[in-house]
Amino acid sequence: MIDTNTTAHGKWSSRYAYILAATGSAVGLGNIWKFPYITGENGGGAFVLVYLACVLVIGIPIMMAETMLGRRSQRNPIEAMEILTKEANADSHWHYLGWMGVIAGLLILSYYSVVAGWASAYILKAFTGSFVDADASAIKTLYADFISSPIQLIFWHTLFMLATMYIVVKGVKNGLEKAVQYLMPALFVLMFLLVAYAMTTNSYFQGLHFLFTPDFSKLTSNSVLTAMGHAFFTLSLGMGAIMVYGSYLPKDVSISKTVFMIAGADTIVALLAGIAIFPIVFANNLHPSSGPGLIFETLPIAFGAMTGGWLMGILFFIMLSVAALTSSISLIEPAVAWLVENRGFTREKACIWSGGVTWLLGLGTVFSFNVWSDFKVFDRSIFQLLDYLTANLMLPIGGFCIAIFAGWIMSPKHSEAELDMPIAQGYQAWKLLVSYVAPAAVFFVFLHVIGVL
Ligand code: PHE
């Protein structure tokens, strides 16, 4: 994967390696944990439709733009923006964009790691048979008991952060490339099996109806913002993760084709997760809007009830943890790349610093589920606040700036050469989306939320 041994700034060994790594970054807790629970909280179908529209007209063009900025500069996001600004003779303030990305990545990782820790803890719960024949209320209690224990959450959060740091120190070379190679197909198979189980419940169509029949009366301006923010989050956009991965990308790879593949795979995993989960929610009289615990309160019921469920439960939570790991390394990579390339840190030292700071921040999220659950700022717990700040504000703002930079500042000659679209109209369509449609959409959603529109 990233060859950190030969030069400070390595290269992917092949196009395939890049697709695997970028898909690994995109597919993670966002698809399997976050998408179902925010869909449940925001009323279903209409929310899903807005999310899909955002992926198509905002996410995909910005993903191409972000990959392109990385590849053209061959640098970490902060330096990338400095180099590209010079090349375009633009104002030097653009490098703040790189900074915001590095900070957003660490903030996201701080709570991402806590939830990934839950997934890892559930491997053990599955293994020891905690789900066998358990009904919905037993599973709910299991989850409630678990998150009320700060010690347990800290233990798993620590373990997950150490795993992330270990992989990043080792330069993510061979192991992870292989892991993603097997993980993705295996994840698809497991998701299909869960969908098959959902079909056996008598609420399968109720689940589908909830997900795919839009009821626009349920859509508030904040739901639209959440759907848009999630399009950025799930595709890993707006904070430099895709820019860093793009910077390791060989010149002869088509950015447009690979972006479609990555975004397609990401969307399918999210939809499969939704199709598997909501029938279980309705069949057990659970609430779609039960929040971040949704998958932990539903899927174990399926594992407890189905034949072969014991093994499937173990495999599922292993896969969810690995999928989270392939995303977490991309959340920390912009910070690490910057410390190594610009501050002369060794990779070890860079990982220890960024990982340590993130770990400490993560304690805020840990406590927001138990001892500090009453502590609210703007009516939100620390976890909710971090999630809102990053996914709903920082990533869309970052994405907006990336779109403006790629569409207006960078010379079209450079962007056309980098993107290398199979057809000429492709480039024009991208230019239109990235210069006008995507930034305008982000802008209008923001105006709407603050009540100006
Ligand atoms: N896309 C990842 C997921 O859906 C999360 C992520 C966000 C990763 C931003 C990198 C950057 O789980």
Side-chain angles (χ1 to χ4, degrees):
M1 251 189 202
I2 303 171
D3 186 356
T4 47
N5 299 328
T6 48
T7 53
H9 205 88
K11 273 273 159 39
W12 300 105
S13 52
S14 66
R15 174 179 108 99
Y16 190 53
Y18 166 74
I19 295 179
L20 286 177
T23 311
S25 165
V27 175
L29 294 174
N31 308 62
I32 297 170
W33 160 73
K34 193 173 178 193
F35 171 72
Y37 98 74
I38 57 175
T39 298
E41 282 181 338
N42 290 281
F47 176 85
V48 175
L49 204 64
V50 177
Y51 152 73
L52 291 175
C54 288
V55 166
L56 210 62
V57 298
I58 305 176
I60 290 179
I62 293 185
M63 197 174 201
M64 291 184 192
E66 198 175 325
T67 316
M68 174 184 93
L69 298 186
R71 184 168 69 181
R72 179 142 198 98
S73 63
Q74 311 270 303
R75 290 293 188 283
N76 64 73
I78 295 176
E79 242 193 303
M81 291 318 296
E82 280 168 4
I83 290 179
L84 295 170
T85 325
K86 279 203 198 101
E87 185 183 66
N89 278 327
D91 188 291
S92 66
H93 286 84
W94 280 99
H95 74 271
Y96 288 118
L97 182 57
W99 275 105
M100 188 173 73
V102 166
I103 295 168
L106 298 185
L107 289 178
I108 295 176
L109 184 55
S110 79
Y111 66 84
Y112 201 86
S113 160
V114 174
V115 179
W118 301 355
S120 319
Y122 267 60
I123 303 173
L124 200 66
K125 292 195 194 304
F127 183 76
T128 54
S130 305
F131 311 148
V132 179
D133 292 329
D135 61 7
S137 78
I139 296 291
K140 211 178 162 76
T141 315
L142 188 75
Y143 171 74
D145 287 347
F146 173 62
I147 63 160
S148 67
S149 157
I151 298 292
Q152 289 198 52
L153 299 199
I154 291 174
F155 174 79
W156 293 102
H157 163 55
T158 310
L159 207 64
F160 187 82
M161 272 314 300
L162 287 176
T164 303
M165 286 153 70
Y166 178 78
I167 295 173
V168 177
V169 169
K170 292 280 161 204
V172 268
K173 196 136 169 70
N174 293 322
L176 215 70
E177 187 166 335
K178 290 219 180 63
V180 185
Q181 198 167 347
Y182 296 114
L183 172 83
M184 286 304 150
L187 194 65
F188 271 96
V189 172
L190 262 192
M191 296 311 294
F192 275 112
L193 288 175
L194 280 171
V195 169
Y197 171 80
M199 283 180 185
T200 68
T201 67
N202 51 16
S203 304
Y204 182 61
F205 290 103
Q206 196 184 347
L208 286 189
H209 180 82
F210 180 78
L211 266 179
F212 296 116
T213 316
D215 172 358
F216 288 98
S217 69
K218 295 213 176 113
L219 216 55
T220 62
S221 53
N222 243 316
S223 325
V224 175
L225 176 64
T226 306
M228 181 181 81
H230 189 63
F232 284 97
F233 185 90
T234 192
L235 295 175
S236 307
L237 297 179
M239 49 68 67
I242 291 296
M243 208 188 285
V244 164
Y245 278 14
S247 74
Y248 303 123
L249 187 63
K251 288 278 179 202
D252 55 347
V253 174
S254 159
I255 291 181
S256 50
K257 276 192 230 145
T258 47
V259 162
F260 272 105
M261 287 164 68
I262 297 161
D266 186 77
T267 310
I268 293 172
V269 175
L271 292 179
L272 285 176
I275 297 172
I277 285 160
F278 285 105
I280 306 176
V281 169
F282 295 119
N284 292 283
N285 291 320
L286 296 167
H287 241 283
S289 61
S290 48
L294 190 67
I295 65 160
F296 298 97
E297 291 173 337
T298 49
L299 295 182
I301 304 176
F303 299 130
M306 65 211 283
T307 23
W310 176 77
L311 186 63
M312 269 191 62
I314 299 173
L315 290 178
F316 175 82
F317 286 110
I318 290 179
M319 272 174 219
L320 188 57
S321 307
V322 179
L325 210 49
T326 58
S327 300
S328 68
I329 56 173
S330 73
L331 282 161
I332 205 173
E333 182 69 23
V336 171
W338 177 73
L339 287 173
V340 171
E341 291 171 15
N342 297 54
R343 284 284 172 267
F345 280 47
T346 59
R347 243 182 127 74
E348 284 82 6
K349 204 168 147 208
C351 282
I352 291 171
W353 271 101
S354 21
V357 169
T358 311
W359 178 84
L360 209 61
L361 277 171
L363 297 183
T365 293
V366 164
F367 297 141
S368 75
F369 286 98
N370 36 65
V371 284
W372 290 350
S373 59
D374 291 332
F375 177 72
K376 300 261 156 93
V377 184
F378 299 122
D379 218 22
R380 290 188 167 84
S381 69
I382 297 178
F383 158 68
Q384 289 167 326
L385 212 60
L386 281 172
D387 179 40
Y388 194 91
L389 177 72
T390 51
N392 292 9
L393 301 178
M394 293 176 91
L395 299 186
I397 292 173
F400 176 89
C401 297
I402 288 169
I404 297 288
F405 192 90
W408 296 92
I409 312 277
M410 195 166 175
S411 113
K413 224 177 44 228
H414 293 159
S415 58
E416 191 164 9
E418 283 294 334
L419 284 179
D420 186 24
M421 294 271 190
I423 46 169
Q425 292 91 324
Y427 177 73
Q428 265 123 38
W430 172 80
K431 186 94 172 113
L432 183 78
L433 287 168
V434 93
S435 314
Y436 298 98
V437 181
V442 174
F443 193 64
F444 281 123
V445 173
F446 277 146
L447 287 186
H448 208 262
V449 170
I450 57 175
V452 176
L453 270 182

